[in-house]
Amino acid sequence: MDATEFRRRGKEMVDLIADYLENIEQRTVYPDVEPGYLRSLIPEEAPEEPDTYEDVVKDIERVIMPGVTHWHSPYFYAYFPTANSFPAMLADMLSGAIGCIGFSWAASPACTELETVMMDWLGKMLKLPEDFIAGTHGQGGGVIQGTASEATLVALLAARCRAVRMILASDPQRPETGITSKLVAYSSDQAHCSVERAGMIAGVRMKKIPTEQSDKYAVQGETLRRMIQEDKAAGLIPFYFCATLGTTPSCAFDHITELGPICNAEKIWMHIDAAYAGSSFICPEFRPLLNGIEFADSFNFNAHKWLLVNFDCSTMWVKKRSDLIGAFKMDPLYLKHDHQESGLITDYRHWQIPLGRRFRSLKMWFVFRMYGLKGLQDYIRKHVELAKEFESLVRADQRFEISADVVLGLVCFRLKGSNEVNETLLKRINNGRKIHLVPCLLSGQFVLRFALCARTTESRHIREAWQLITQLAEEVMQELPH
Amino acid sequence: MDATEFRRRGKEMVDLIADYLENIEQRTVYPDVEPGYLRSLIPEEAPEEPDTYEDVVKDIERVIMPGVTHWHSPYFYAYFPTANSFPAMLADMLSGAIGCIGFSWAASPACTELETVMMDWLGKMLKLPEDFIAGTHGQGGGVIQGTASEATLVALLAARCRAVRMILASDPQRPETGITSKLVAYSSDQAHCSVERAGMIAGVRMKKIPTEQSDKYAVQGETLRRMIQEDKAAGLIPFYFCATLGTTPSCAFDHITELGPICNAEKIWMHIDAAYAGSSFICPEFRPLLNGIEFADSFNFNAHKWLLVNFDCSTMWVKKRSDLIGAFKMDPLYLKHDHQESGLITDYRHWQIPLGRRFRSLKMWFVFRMYGLKGLQDYIRKHVELAKEFESLVRADQRFEISADVVLGLVCFRLKGSNEVNETLLKRINNGRKIHLVPCLLSGQFVLRFALCARTTESRHIREAWQLITQLAEEVMQELPH
């Protein structure tokens, strides 16, 4: 395919995409296929000679679409949102065409510099403390990671490195493996599974801090303080705490204004994972949820979840970039370049797990400019309002209960009664394939999560979903003994 | 921006991309900007109200392009290639629109299943041993990682987990940290810096195996065997060897037919990193370079380097998927789904560091079908021929020497003489900004790497590059004393 044919096929693809997104409501949100469905639909080997483009395009409907879970359907309420906006898609097309691999400043200066400035723009929208802004002389700054899992891991590795260095500074003879085996990290028992996984990868002990329903599933300062004291008494070295703002099960918020000072006093690295909730902090009314950020060493959220920047774009800031870089720096000759030691430039490969990286900041640039701060705020507020609307519907029905405070765009609810009845209800909902939800477990209770996800969800979809849920609940309650 | 406007803007973007790629030769391949150039060109904060799309597009030329290193210019010979093809870009557009996050089978069955089948297609093109093919009943199979760095790390973590499990099976009382502190991994001193970094991340000792110019910079079986014996005698536990096929400095190939049996006998996980060279193994004439693959536990190369599938698409295979999954598995309720325990399905989140993942296999599907195996082979062969052509030009000039065997699309060469003269020559070449190269260090010698990169490079570009290099060499040799 040459450029001339690409002009034609590209424009057809633009129409195909617009058609797909304009008519997505008419598709079954959750696919009705059995595992292994796809293999039999296509050949067992790649063709020797090229297929025609027409055949490839025909196969999108024949092979792919029947097995797609439509995350951007207004009937999709599962997991958390993943962003999808037209400006982001346009920017991503451009990014693909430029196709640079921005591992160092020299590998494509624009790729690095736009990222630093876009992270500053976003940091300012969030009213982050000045320490996190790169500016022209800052010691901190931002980086785009692929996912929150990577941000959590990168922060943990930087913390591990800093802890080992601090201990070696006062006790240079101590063997490094002896230190690592004593390190202990903490996170909430409500934290995302990727936090525990980061501990496994880094080979350090990770303890879960218990939370209570009565505390709204938030980690309390007193609990962390007690665990630290016990662990220190047992000869362990506390070094990392991952706080969560907006947990995956119920969108709970750890008390970072209490937790931060404890971490600072104990020289424990505090990382804040606000993967979902972070986007909302651009609205003044939600910004108080981030109070305490001044105590954190690093902060991350997924602009690719709820800020209209398509995956992947997990935005992370650190107060001291030297802490991050120090944990990873490697400089073989084939990656050296003239400006490297100037102090003015950033080589983002030292900030992340992979070496290569796409030109992802273009997506932020297009989205921020095409929506403006107000447009982004409107979008967040609309989702929160729809969640509140759904909450009212649930609260108005005596058979149901709300299982956790509705702070942003997630509603946790259940039928009053057994886990069994709720599991049956959820199964019935998903098997109906009209809407799609996933569950969570809160204090041993099986709970349904209703997460506002699609950009195009409106009040009528919420009401339709609720009507369906109540109708199925009625059926389930008639069938199952109470 | 709504779908109607996207139809218009998307088509404009398709033309912009086609224009960019059709006329890329006329741009300066390596940008002439100083660090910090971009910040002053754009506002310090995001706009409150939306900008117009016209303004955004105008800024592509004003702000971005001056700072882009044009990796797809036929005058770009630095690093290694990164793929860029029209079919891959079309597929990526579609992937962005579907915008699913395929962490589990249920999160979008098509995303998972197409990946498994595409990895089988590619595995068959490479004539991988049956063990690596998923099929319908295989124990192995493939996964798309973001980068080779991640593949190396994932393999290392799986190896660490397997080693600890094996030792605990025979000595259940032994503390796990005591095992980890004794583990030792190996790779060539020519291996990519990301291999050493993987060791740092996983917190295990990583030893570099010395190579010699006389052995063509390949790791020899005898050297590995000796190091293993010495380390075992010292109480260490060898557990992982990362072999490289096609090293970054000189495209050297470790002797895996010798190394593999040693690893197997010692129960050492052998991972093969063929990041660049791997794509060439689809040609029968280059496939012998992969002989010995049957001894490997895992194998990886970057289809996003040299197989026309745009970044990111780092293709990795394992013989036993349970080894990989075992190292990572976490199953919170919000990620559970009905078919999970059926054994028929794949949840790729257990195969990688991040949780989220794009629908990347669409790019493979489009590229394999639109090129056909023959088209892909033609493309590889053309690059190798052009490298050979450049090699002949160098060899015909008595002032120059070839520094390593030219096996694929990389030519390592230098002026006979001091490192200083070669450093000056390279600086002169890059400052000229007509072509772009990066150096490497081979046996203490400063060497210029000429890597065939762009899809559109032709013989005339090679000859033009050589003319420029010889002209600058003349200048340098006249200025510098011999």
Side-chain angles (χ1 to χ4, degrees), chain A residues 153 157 160 201-202 328 353, chain B residues 153 196-203:
Chain A
L153 175 60
L157 294 169
R160 188 185 68 180
I201 292 169
F328 291 112
I353 305 291
Chain B
L153 176 60
E196 191 179 345
R197 213 157 168 263
M200 283 172 58
I201 292 169

Side-chain angles (χ1 to χ4, degrees), chain A residues 148-154 156-157 184-209 239-244 248 271 273, chain B residues 157 160 176 326-335 350 352-353 355:
Chain A
S149 314
E150 288 163 79
T152 308
L153 175 60
V154 163
L156 179 72
L157 294 169
V184 55
Y186 306 92
S187 72
S188 164
D189 62 4
Q190 300 292 308
H192 193 266
C193 58
S194 57
V195 180
E196 192 179 344
R197 211 156 169 264
M200 283 170 58
I201 292 169
V204 295
R205 203 179 268 105
M206 171 79 70
K207 292 199 174 179
K208 289 186 182 180
I209 307 174
F239 80 108
Y240 178 78
F241 168 58
C242 176
T244 310
T248 308
H271 174 69
D273 171 17
Chain B
L157 294 169
R160 188 184 68 179
E176 199 173 318
F328 292 112
K329 202 162 182 176
M330 301 245 157
D331 276 326
L333 185 60
Y334 51 82
L335 295 179
H350 303 307
Q352 58 173 25
I353 305 290
L355 178 72

Side-chain angles (χ1 to χ4, degrees), chain B residues 71-91:
Chain B
W71 283 60
H72 305 289
S73 161
Y75 297 112
F76 182 91
Y77 303 105
Y79 315 111
F80 269 136
T82 186
N84 196 329
S85 73
F86 294 117
M89 280 189 269
L90 292 169

Side-chain angles (χ1 to χ4, degrees), chain B residues 91-111:
Chain B
D92 211 22
M93 287 164 67
L94 179 62
S95 165
I98 293 176
C100 62
I101 306 296
F103 45 68
S104 69
W105 180 85
S108 217
C111 178

Side-chain angles (χ1 to χ4, degrees), chain A residues 71-114:
Chain A
W71 283 60
H72 304 289
S73 161
Y75 297 113
F76 182 90
Y77 303 105
Y79 316 110
F80 269 136
T82 186
N84 197 329
S85 73
F86 293 116
M89 280 190 270
L90 292 169
D92 212 22
M93 288 164 67
L94 180 61
S95 166
I98 293 177
C100 61
I101 305 297
F103 43 69
S104 69
W105 181 85
S108 217
C111 177
T112 294
E113 297 205 5
L114 188 67

Side-chain angles (χ1 to χ4, degrees), chain A residues 100-344:
Chain A
C100 61
I101 305 297
F103 43 69
S104 69
W105 181 85
S108 217
C111 177
T112 294
E113 297 205 5
L114 188 67
E115 181 161 334
T116 309
V117 179
M118 284 306 103
M119 291 300 294
D120 277 1
W121 276 22
L122 184 53
K124 289 171 189 173
M125 287 192 225
L126 296 161
K127 306 226 180 299
L128 289 188
E130 195 60 31
D131 293 345
F132 290 102
I133 305 297
T136 44
H137 295 90
Q139 302 204 331
V143 58
I144 303 175
Q145 303 283 357
T147 59
S149 314
E150 288 163 79
T152 308
L153 175 60
V154 163
L156 179 72
L157 294 169
R160 188 185 68 180
C161 183
R162 189 179 78 172
V164 170
R165 236 189 291 123
M166 283 196 302
I167 291 160
L168 286 178
S170 63
D171 183 3
Q173 303 308 317
R174 195 163 169 177
E176 198 173 317
T177 53
I179 302 171
T180 316
S181 67
K182 295 291 178 195
L183 293 176
V184 55
Y186 306 92
S187 72
S188 164
D189 62 4
Q190 300 292 308
H192 193 266
C193 58
S194 57
V195 180
E196 192 179 344
R197 211 156 169 264
M200 283 170 58
I201 292 169
V204 295
R205 203 179 268 105
M206 171 79 70
K207 292 199 174 179
K208 289 186 182 180
I209 307 174
T211 60
E212 303 287 340
Q213 185 167 22
S214 56
D215 296 326
K216 300 181 177 178
Y217 302 107
V219 170
Q220 308 292 304
E222 206 33 63
T223 321
L224 176 64
R225 197 193 311 272
R226 199 177 52 244
M227 286 179 77
I228 291 172
Q229 279 162 359
E230 286 170 8
D231 284 337
K232 283 168 73 177
L236 298 180
I237 309 166
F239 80 108
Y240 178 78
F241 168 58
C242 176
T244 310
L245 296 181
T247 60
T248 308
S250 68
C251 201
F253 291 79
D254 289 342
H255 292 180
I256 53 170
T257 48
E258 275 174 47
L259 299 159
I262 300 172
C263 291
N264 290 4
E266 298 283 349
K267 296 196 168 58
I268 291 173
W269 183 295
M270 182 162 86
H271 174 69
I272 297 177
D273 171 17
Y276 163 66
S279 300
S280 73
F281 306 153
I282 63 165
C283 300
E285 66 273 34
F286 301 124
R287 176 59 178 75
L289 294 166
L290 186 61
N291 287 349
I293 175 70
E294 60 275 19
F295 302 113
D297 294 282
S298 53
F299 168 60
N300 169 253
F301 78 93
N302 288 340
H304 66 235
K305 276 199 162 65
W306 201 17
L307 208 60
L308 295 163
V309 184
N310 286 36
F311 189 88
D312 50 345
C313 185
S314 184
T315 44
M316 178 190 195
W317 291 263
V318 284
K319 259 189 197 153
K320 277 199 172 178
R321 63 175 92 181
S322 56
D323 282 338
L324 221 59
I325 296 169
F328 291 112
K329 202 163 182 176
M330 301 245 157
D331 276 325
L333 186 61
Y334 51 82
L335 295 178
K336 278 201 195 300
H337 55 86
D338 273 358
H339 291 291
Q340 191 155 297
E341 303 306 332
S342 76
L344 278 168

